[in-house]
Amino acid sequence: MSDVVEKTLTALPSLLSLDSQPGSAKLSSTSKLGNLIRGITELTSKHEEEKLIQRELASIKEQVSSPNTSMRQMKELMVRAIYCESLGYEASFSYIHAIKLAQQGTVLEKRVGYLAVSLFLNESHELLLLLVNTVLKDLQSTNLIEVCMALTVVSQMFPKDMIPAILPLVEEKLNHPKEIIRRKAVLALYKFYLIAPNQVQHIHNKFRKALCDKDPGVMTASLHIYLQMIQENPEGYKDLTASFVTILKQVVGGKLPMDFNYHSVPAPWLQIQLLRILSLLGKNDQSTSEIMYEVLDESLRRAEMNHNITYAILYECVKCIYTIHPKSDLLEKAAKCIGNFVLSPKINLKYLGLKALTYVVQQDPKLALQHQMTIIECLDHPDLIIKRETLELLFRITNAQNVTVIVEKMLEFLHSNTDDYTTIDLVGKVAELAEKYAPGNEWFIETMNTVFSVGGDMMQPDIPNSFLKLLSEGFDTVEEDRKLRLFAVDSYVSLLQGEPGKLPQRFLQVISWVLGEYSHLREELEPATVMRLLAKLLDMKQTSSETKSWVLLAMTKLVRAGQVFQSAQEVSETYGSSMDTVLRQRAQELQHLSQDCELRARVLPQDAGLEPLEVDSSLSFLDGFVSEALAAGAAPYKPPHQRQEELAQAKALSLEPYGLSLPISMSSCSIADRQSPTLLSMSSGLSGDSTDLSHKGSSTTLKLDGVKRVWGREGYLAQREAVEEAAQVEVPSPLRSPSQQAEADSSHSQTPTPTPTPEPDQEKQQLASSLFFGLSSQSSVCLMGKSEPTPQRFRRKAKGQASSSGAAEQISNSLVSAPSAVDNFLCNNLLDSNITSQVGISSSEQTSELSQGPATTNGTCDTEAESTDGDIKGSNPSLIIGDNGLVAADPTPHKDPGSPKDFCLSSHLPAELSELCRSEITPLCSNQSLGLSACHVHKEDSLVLVVFITNSSDAAIRQILLDLDSEQLQVSCVSDSPVEDVTSHSVAMHQFSLTVKRPSVHVEVVGMVSYQLPVGTPQEVQFSYKLPLTSFIRPLTVSTEEYGTMWLSFSHDTKQNLTLISDGEEPLTATLNVLKEKLQLHIVEIIGMEGIIACQLLRDQPCLMHCRVHADVLAVWLRSPVPDLPDCLIYHCQRALQEH
Amino acid sequence: MIKAILIFNNHGKPRLSKFYEHYTEDTEQQIIRETFHLVSKRDENVCNFLEGGMLIGGSDYKLIYRHYATLYFVFCVDSSESELGILDLIQVFVETLDKCFENVCELDLIFHVDKVHNILAEMVMGGMVLETNMNEIITQVDAQNKMEKSEVTSVLA
């Protein structure tokens, strides 16, 4: 084929000049277009071309606007205009004429008109409105070609708001007798589904009809839609699995007409599409996967390696097999297939083989081992794309043993790479690996140095950020931390003594921070020396003012030692009059703090890295000031987004539920900052408003939710463990051939590996054994039955329980001292810690529960309690995690007994409680003589915890003493005279009333029961009972006016964006109703796109919620007089909506 | 989804560009230039896939291209397309052009840009692959050509 083209595609000018040559006859070079093209090819400079085209455009313009131009001439003019546009010259004057041509021309002219329209206009162009009628008319035309053209233009560029106008007509075309029309209509509907899914919701069953269409082409088109819909919601289409399998079976079996064959492969593109759909359906679903094993096997078998396109099918097959629930013999075949790809001399197949390996290596690390020599060869491949893919693969198999070699390879690539995108990507990966598996301080710091200098100012800002965090928080023992910091200081001092001018700004910022913070650790290093080095940075031309402010801050920290006072004064004088306000502020700070050591010690304490700092995010210390100002008639503060909205709606009626009037830009915070005694003012002076900051934070949280970070910091470990597990499972299986075994063992012992390659290069083999060392040793470790996870060096210290329990927003002191006003580091850190604390809540609670296990005196009893707890969670996946099976806000009393035991215990409930809504009765702990169970009962004004003590022994138990305690709750005993003795095989009951002391997402009661059996010593059993905060939430009935006054008086607030629920009814109402039902909130009023909600935490602890629909999210703002309550409530709102 | 289909010659002169997603005129030209820059410096014996251009979309996107004599055919696609599948689709496209123009050459693409677009529209519609069967595409294009001829004769008569 390419030969043919080559023959005819000789030199362009020669063809044009010699009219007598064959082939040129059809080129109508006498036409105007011909002249234009000939003119352009003869030109030598860009400038001349521009002149020529402008002339051409002017002539086109004149002709199109002339009334004498016929449609036929217009068509020719349009082609010329298209040509000019394709060269990058605008011909906007012709757009309207293109539309006119599409409207009025004959079919042929129409076609050019439509083409010009689809090339010139986009979906947001205003002229498109003029096209709607034409499209409508053509959709109804009896001429098939006109209908086709209309459908094509519709799928190319129709905007959301015009879809309703044509939707019925397009829908109608699904029943058109001609299959080409049906096919185009299906694709047009798919396009509508992509841009406005809710508008085509009602025709889902028509999609099914298209899937069953007798024409395979229409069916193929409908697969686009199904692929998309299944991607979004695989659960909803499981019933179609069998149909897809049948279709694939027929295709593979050659049941389609011969027309569909491509290089004698039956409908390859259709097969690819079907395999993709199947892999989505079979993912994590054993029963669905089982349906498709047979056809996958068949596909693998039928796709004989003879043509490019069969490889495409095989590749999809392999991916599918590794995605769905595994089946060993298929996996074996797929692995062989991957081998064929990787070993193929065809470079495209090698590329895909590497991709496939990267994809499967987590499940099957030995596969990489098997192809290690090929991988090594690919590392030196001349094609950069192959190289990069190989590095990606290596990244996935990195462990503590091979990290140095792999990182070295990556850095090698980075040095030779020129593509920004690759650099950013790879630098991030190196940083991640370094942090995860660094074998030593020296290596770590040096690697990070390279990362910073290569990554420069392009890299993701979180890399320097987390590096500094690691340095300041420490990772191991105090001594190790000190060594790491010392090494960093040494390294940076020598870097600055070299040529700091070459270092990127970001790196210089990191250096100045580290020197400021830790240079005192190196005692023999004179502060004056560091000061001089830093001053040198200030004098360099290329230093940005951002970096300068980092340097100034570092200097401020350095003036602790007296002798540098003089130079600090000089610097602060120089920059005290800088035009840059931030720099000027830093200079002022430097000046003042260098004079006042007492203040400096408070503001910038030395070695404060680990002490958490309380940040009062609601700025409650300003309450007095604010209420004074309000009393004096000031307008209440509004966040910027609200202000803007109000400005926009200024002319519309005010729909605000609580009459806030004048938009005012008073930033109460910045005024008060000057009086504020807290640390925060140092850094937030310029950022102005920290409420706003937290709002931004919440939107970031949401964004993060959407982004799946497969290799996130925390997720990494889990996946690695999964790998190890997989290895462990697979190692003993007969799949592992003896040669692989030998390979694994030999590379473990670091001897040259026997490989299939003839005369393998010694060097490469060494490289292989070092690269794949960890992998093989991993499996051999497993063989020996000690599968210990490889130790990670820089594992982050677990955050303290206090910080993760969600309430206090804590950030480390040292990070506050970073110049946050200058950049967003602080902001990011704040957000980070926020996020982790929020996300970590449930898990940390879980672990706290677990960690209490071993502490108890009676081990068996405790584990049993835990396992039952686990069972309950397992059986109720839809419920809130850890709420002990309670449907908190179930409006109807819980009457059907969950189990016989539940029933028999519930009969012991006092009459006044048994009618109320309550949780299931959960076993807490039990041993041979005594069992404890509990449930909580929702009373209107309180929450009662009922503990049942069952005596399962044959003797009476005496002197029972039940003692409950909780960090977050106030526990008081309700029963007047607590039962002390329980006779044989009977049940005693204790009631406790619970109120919340300090809100937390989940609250926990720990308790101890001590008792005395007739024989033996007194015994003790410990237990714990966990319940969600929602159990304490009750609706608060207030009027809108009352709400307004309350809103202004509450100081603690939180903002967050929630997802809207859209099932049929109005999204806002639907969402609020879900919240109302699940959390027992009271909806005060819904006005337009806003709603206000009120609730209380049992008595006297109100929380107000203001919701507003923004695009497709619900912006929620919570306020309460109780600290932490808004945060906890927003967590439960999120959970409730997620579970809906 | 196919995001864009670009054809340019060895000197980077665009011969056909079809974007299935909206970009401004300037961005489109920049994409063509950057794509040419990326593709043209690749040897003949490397793979036909390119990843991670900064301009069109980042990590999820790839360029899949084929080089025929003086012309580069580049498809810019997201991860929902099969790499090898697209590679063969380009082949089908070129073979179809070859059939329709009887030994296609660069000049055909210049002089009959509208026809090339029409052929493409039968293969790819709004970024989705519509038809991969060459014969079917040619049937559709022929039907339209017949109509064209009948119209021309009617005008002449």
Short mmCIF file of all heavy atoms in Angstrom, two decimals, chain A residues 1101-1136:
data_model
loop_
_atom_site.label_atom_id
_atom_site.label_comp_id
_atom_site.label_asym_id
_atom_site.label_seq_id
_atom_site.Cartn_x
_atom_site.Cartn_y
_atom_site.Cartn_z
N GLN A 1101 -27.63 21.57 71.97
CA GLN A 1101 -26.42 21.73 71.17
C GLN A 1101 -26.81 21.80 69.70
O GLN A 1101 -26.69 20.82 68.98
CB GLN A 1101 -25.47 20.56 71.41
CG GLN A 1101 -25.13 20.41 72.88
CD GLN A 1101 -23.93 19.53 73.08
OE1 GLN A 1101 -23.71 18.57 72.36
NE2 GLN A 1101 -23.14 19.85 74.09
N PRO A 1102 -27.31 22.93 69.28
CA PRO A 1102 -27.86 23.01 67.92
C PRO A 1102 -26.76 23.05 66.86
O PRO A 1102 -25.61 23.38 67.15
CB PRO A 1102 -28.63 24.32 67.92
CG PRO A 1102 -27.99 25.12 68.98
CD PRO A 1102 -27.42 24.19 69.99
N CYS A 1103 -27.15 22.66 65.66
CA CYS A 1103 -26.27 22.83 64.52
C CYS A 1103 -27.14 23.21 63.33
O CYS A 1103 -28.16 22.59 63.08
CB CYS A 1103 -25.52 21.53 64.24
SG CYS A 1103 -24.34 21.71 62.91
N LEU A 1104 -26.73 24.24 62.64
CA LEU A 1104 -27.52 24.73 61.51
C LEU A 1104 -26.76 24.44 60.22
O LEU A 1104 -25.54 24.42 60.20
CB LEU A 1104 -27.74 26.24 61.63
CG LEU A 1104 -28.41 26.70 62.92
CD1 LEU A 1104 -28.57 28.20 62.90
CD2 LEU A 1104 -29.76 26.03 63.10
N MET A 1105 -27.56 24.26 59.20
CA MET A 1105 -26.94 23.86 57.94
C MET A 1105 -27.58 24.68 56.84
O MET A 1105 -28.81 24.79 56.80
CB MET A 1105 -27.26 22.38 57.75
CG MET A 1105 -26.37 21.64 56.86
SD MET A 1105 -26.72 19.92 57.22
CE MET A 1105 -26.48 19.25 55.63
N HIS A 1106 -26.74 25.24 56.00
CA HIS A 1106 -27.26 26.01 54.87
C HIS A 1106 -26.75 25.37 53.59
O HIS A 1106 -25.55 25.17 53.43
CB HIS A 1106 -26.78 27.46 54.98
CG HIS A 1106 -27.07 28.26 53.75
ND1 HIS A 1106 -26.08 28.87 53.03
CD2 HIS A 1106 -28.22 28.51 53.11
CE1 HIS A 1106 -26.61 29.47 51.98
NE2 HIS A 1106 -27.92 29.26 52.01
N CYS A 1107 -27.66 25.00 52.70
CA CYS A 1107 -27.27 24.31 51.49
C CYS A 1107 -27.65 25.14 50.29
O CYS A 1107 -28.70 25.76 50.26
CB CYS A 1107 -27.99 22.98 51.34
SG CYS A 1107 -28.01 22.05 52.83
N ARG A 1108 -26.79 25.11 49.33
CA ARG A 1108 -27.07 25.85 48.11
C ARG A 1108 -26.56 25.02 46.93
O ARG A 1108 -25.47 24.46 47.00
CB ARG A 1108 -26.33 27.18 48.15
CG ARG A 1108 -26.56 28.04 46.93
CD ARG A 1108 -25.53 29.15 46.92
NE ARG A 1108 -25.87 30.22 47.85
CZ ARG A 1108 -26.49 31.33 47.47
NH1 ARG A 1108 -26.84 31.51 46.23
NH2 ARG A 1108 -26.76 32.27 48.35
N VAL A 1109 -27.36 24.93 45.89
CA VAL A 1109 -26.95 24.13 44.73
C VAL A 1109 -26.05 24.98 43.85
O VAL A 1109 -26.41 26.08 43.44
CB VAL A 1109 -28.17 23.67 43.92
CG1 VAL A 1109 -27.72 22.87 42.72
CG2 VAL A 1109 -29.09 22.86 44.79
N HIS A 1110 -24.85 24.47 43.63
CA HIS A 1110 -23.89 25.14 42.75
C HIS A 1110 -23.62 24.20 41.61
O HIS A 1110 -23.01 23.15 41.82
CB HIS A 1110 -22.57 25.35 43.48
CG HIS A 1110 -22.50 26.64 44.20
ND1 HIS A 1110 -22.37 27.83 43.56
CD2 HIS A 1110 -22.58 26.92 45.51
CE1 HIS A 1110 -22.35 28.79 44.45
NE2 HIS A 1110 -22.48 28.27 45.64
N ALA A 1111 -24.00 24.54 40.43
CA ALA A 1111 -23.82 23.63 39.29
C ALA A 1111 -24.37 22.26 39.69
O ALA A 1111 -25.55 22.13 39.97
CB ALA A 1111 -22.36 23.56 38.87
N ASP A 1112 -23.50 21.25 39.82
CA ASP A 1112 -24.07 19.95 40.19
C ASP A 1112 -23.58 19.49 41.55
O ASP A 1112 -23.60 18.31 41.85
CB ASP A 1112 -23.76 18.90 39.12
CG ASP A 1112 -22.31 18.94 38.70
OD1 ASP A 1112 -21.61 19.85 39.18
OD2 ASP A 1112 -21.90 18.08 37.93
N VAL A 1113 -23.12 20.41 42.37
CA VAL A 1113 -22.79 20.02 43.73
C VAL A 1113 -23.63 20.83 44.70
O VAL A 1113 -24.21 21.85 44.36
CB VAL A 1113 -21.29 20.22 44.06
CG1 VAL A 1113 -20.44 19.30 43.24
CG2 VAL A 1113 -20.90 21.65 43.86
N LEU A 1114 -23.67 20.33 45.91
CA LEU A 1114 -24.40 21.01 46.96
C LEU A 1114 -23.37 21.63 47.89
O LEU A 1114 -22.60 20.92 48.54
CB LEU A 1114 -25.26 19.99 47.71
CG LEU A 1114 -26.25 20.58 48.70
CD1 LEU A 1114 -27.33 21.35 47.97
CD2 LEU A 1114 -26.87 19.48 49.53
N ALA A 1115 -23.33 22.96 47.91
CA ALA A 1115 -22.40 23.64 48.80
C ALA A 1115 -23.07 23.75 50.15
O ALA A 1115 -24.14 24.33 50.27
CB ALA A 1115 -22.04 25.01 48.26
N VAL A 1116 -22.45 23.15 51.14
CA VAL A 1116 -23.06 23.11 52.46
C VAL A 1116 -22.21 23.90 53.43
O VAL A 1116 -20.99 23.83 53.41
CB VAL A 1116 -23.16 21.65 52.95
CG1 VAL A 1116 -23.82 21.60 54.30
CG2 VAL A 1116 -23.93 20.83 51.97
N TRP A 1117 -22.90 24.64 54.26
CA TRP A 1117 -22.22 25.45 55.25
C TRP A 1117 -22.86 25.15 56.58
O TRP A 1117 -24.07 25.34 56.73
CB TRP A 1117 -22.37 26.92 54.85
CG TRP A 1117 -21.53 27.87 55.63
CD1 TRP A 1117 -20.66 27.57 56.64
CD2 TRP A 1117 -21.49 29.28 55.48
NE1 TRP A 1117 -20.07 28.70 57.10
CE2 TRP A 1117 -20.56 29.76 56.42
CE3 TRP A 1117 -22.14 30.18 54.64
CZ2 TRP A 1117 -20.28 31.13 56.54
CZ3 TRP A 1117 -21.85 31.53 54.77
CH2 TRP A 1117 -20.92 32.00 55.70
N LEU A 1118 -22.08 24.68 57.53
CA LEU A 1118 -22.64 24.32 58.82
C LEU A 1118 -22.13 25.25 59.89
O LEU A 1118 -20.97 25.65 59.88
CB LEU A 1118 -22.23 22.90 59.19
CG LEU A 1118 -22.91 21.79 58.44
CD1 LEU A 1118 -21.95 21.19 57.48
CD2 LEU A 1118 -23.42 20.75 59.39
N ARG A 1119 -23.01 25.57 60.82
CA ARG A 1119 -22.58 26.39 61.95
C ARG A 1119 -23.14 25.84 63.23
O ARG A 1119 -24.28 25.35 63.27
CB ARG A 1119 -23.07 27.83 61.77
CG ARG A 1119 -22.16 28.66 60.94
CD ARG A 1119 -22.48 30.10 61.15
NE ARG A 1119 -21.53 30.93 60.44
CZ ARG A 1119 -21.44 32.24 60.62
NH1 ARG A 1119 -22.24 32.85 61.47
NH2 ARG A 1119 -20.57 32.93 59.95
N SER A 1120 -22.37 25.97 64.26
CA SER A 1120 -22.82 25.47 65.55
C SER A 1120 -22.04 26.16 66.64
O SER A 1120 -20.90 26.60 66.43
CB SER A 1120 -22.58 23.97 65.62
OG SER A 1120 -22.77 23.52 66.93
N PRO A 1121 -22.61 26.28 67.82
CA PRO A 1121 -21.81 26.83 68.93
C PRO A 1121 -20.85 25.78 69.48
O PRO A 1121 -19.96 26.11 70.25
CB PRO A 1121 -22.86 27.21 69.97
CG PRO A 1121 -24.03 26.37 69.66
CD PRO A 1121 -24.00 26.06 68.20
N VAL A 1122 -21.04 24.53 69.11
CA VAL A 1122 -20.20 23.46 69.66
C VAL A 1122 -19.02 23.21 68.72
O VAL A 1122 -19.24 22.94 67.54
CB VAL A 1122 -21.02 22.17 69.80
CG1 VAL A 1122 -20.22 21.13 70.55
CG2 VAL A 1122 -22.34 22.46 70.46
N PRO A 1123 -17.83 23.28 69.21
CA PRO A 1123 -16.70 23.00 68.33
C PRO A 1123 -16.78 21.57 67.82
O PRO A 1123 -17.31 20.69 68.51
CB PRO A 1123 -15.47 23.20 69.21
CG PRO A 1123 -15.96 23.25 70.61
CD PRO A 1123 -17.39 23.62 70.58
N ASP A 1124 -16.28 21.34 66.67
CA ASP A 1124 -16.20 19.99 66.06
C ASP A 1124 -17.52 19.43 65.58
O ASP A 1124 -17.55 18.51 64.78
CB ASP A 1124 -15.57 18.94 67.00
CG ASP A 1124 -14.29 19.42 67.59
OD1 ASP A 1124 -13.65 20.27 66.95
OD2 ASP A 1124 -13.94 18.97 68.68
N LEU A 1125 -18.61 19.92 66.10
CA LEU A 1125 -19.88 19.34 65.67
C LEU A 1125 -20.11 19.50 64.17
O LEU A 1125 -20.49 18.53 63.50
CB LEU A 1125 -21.04 19.95 66.48
CG LEU A 1125 -22.42 19.43 66.16
CD1 LEU A 1125 -22.47 17.92 66.30
CD2 LEU A 1125 -23.47 20.05 67.07
N PRO A 1126 -19.86 20.69 63.60
CA PRO A 1126 -20.06 20.79 62.14
C PRO A 1126 -19.21 19.80 61.37
O PRO A 1126 -19.71 19.16 60.44
CB PRO A 1126 -19.63 22.24 61.83
CG PRO A 1126 -19.83 22.97 63.08
CD PRO A 1126 -19.53 21.99 64.18
N ASP A 1127 -17.97 19.61 61.78
CA ASP A 1127 -17.10 18.67 61.07
C ASP A 1127 -17.65 17.26 61.11
O ASP A 1127 -17.64 16.54 60.11
CB ASP A 1127 -15.70 18.69 61.68
CG ASP A 1127 -14.94 19.94 61.32
OD1 ASP A 1127 -15.12 20.39 60.17
OD2 ASP A 1127 -14.21 20.46 62.17
N CYS A 1128 -18.10 16.87 62.29
CA CYS A 1128 -18.61 15.50 62.43
C CYS A 1128 -19.88 15.32 61.62
O CYS A 1128 -20.09 14.28 60.99
CB CYS A 1128 -18.91 15.19 63.89
SG CYS A 1128 -17.48 15.35 64.92
N LEU A 1129 -20.71 16.33 61.66
CA LEU A 1129 -21.99 16.20 60.97
C LEU A 1129 -21.79 16.12 59.46
O LEU A 1129 -22.45 15.33 58.77
CB LEU A 1129 -22.88 17.38 61.33
CG LEU A 1129 -24.36 17.14 61.09
CD1 LEU A 1129 -24.84 15.99 61.94
CD2 LEU A 1129 -25.15 18.38 61.39
N ILE A 1130 -20.84 16.90 58.98
CA ILE A 1130 -20.62 16.90 57.54
C ILE A 1130 -20.11 15.53 57.12
O ILE A 1130 -20.46 15.01 56.07
CB ILE A 1130 -19.64 18.02 57.12
CG1 ILE A 1130 -19.74 18.28 55.63
CG2 ILE A 1130 -18.20 17.68 57.43
CD1 ILE A 1130 -20.87 19.13 55.26
N TYR A 1131 -19.35 14.90 57.99
CA TYR A 1131 -18.88 13.55 57.70
C TYR A 1131 -20.05 12.60 57.53
O TYR A 1131 -20.14 11.84 56.58
CB TYR A 1131 -17.95 13.08 58.83
CG TYR A 1131 -17.58 11.64 58.74
CD1 TYR A 1131 -16.55 11.22 57.91
CD2 TYR A 1131 -18.26 10.68 59.48
CE1 TYR A 1131 -16.22 9.89 57.82
CE2 TYR A 1131 -17.94 9.34 59.40
CZ TYR A 1131 -16.91 8.95 58.57
OH TYR A 1131 -16.59 7.63 58.47
N HIS A 1132 -20.98 12.70 58.46
CA HIS A 1132 -22.12 11.79 58.37
C HIS A 1132 -23.02 12.11 57.18
O HIS A 1132 -23.62 11.21 56.60
CB HIS A 1132 -22.91 11.80 59.68
CG HIS A 1132 -22.23 11.03 60.77
ND1 HIS A 1132 -22.10 9.68 60.73
CD2 HIS A 1132 -21.60 11.44 61.89
CE1 HIS A 1132 -21.43 9.26 61.79
NE2 HIS A 1132 -21.10 10.31 62.51
N CYS A 1133 -23.09 13.39 56.84
CA CYS A 1133 -23.87 13.74 55.64
C CYS A 1133 -23.25 13.07 54.43
O CYS A 1133 -23.95 12.50 53.59
CB CYS A 1133 -23.87 15.25 55.43
SG CYS A 1133 -24.85 16.13 56.62
N GLN A 1134 -21.93 13.15 54.35
CA GLN A 1134 -21.24 12.53 53.21
C GLN A 1134 -21.54 11.04 53.16
O GLN A 1134 -21.87 10.49 52.12
CB GLN A 1134 -19.73 12.74 53.34
CG GLN A 1134 -19.29 14.05 52.76
CD GLN A 1134 -17.82 14.31 53.05
OE1 GLN A 1134 -17.27 13.77 54.01
NE2 GLN A 1134 -17.22 15.15 52.26
N ARG A 1135 -21.41 10.40 54.31
CA ARG A 1135 -21.65 8.97 54.37
C ARG A 1135 -23.07 8.66 53.93
O ARG A 1135 -23.32 7.76 53.13
CB ARG A 1135 -21.47 8.42 55.80
CG ARG A 1135 -20.11 8.61 56.38
CD ARG A 1135 -19.08 7.80 55.68
NE ARG A 1135 -19.49 6.41 55.51
CZ ARG A 1135 -18.64 5.42 55.50
NH1 ARG A 1135 -17.37 5.66 55.71
NH2 ARG A 1135 -19.05 4.20 55.27
N ALA A 1136 -23.98 9.44 54.45
CA ALA A 1136 -25.39 9.16 54.16
C ALA A 1136 -25.64 9.25 52.67
O ALA A 1136 -26.35 8.42 52.09
CB ALA A 1136 -26.27 10.14 54.93
#
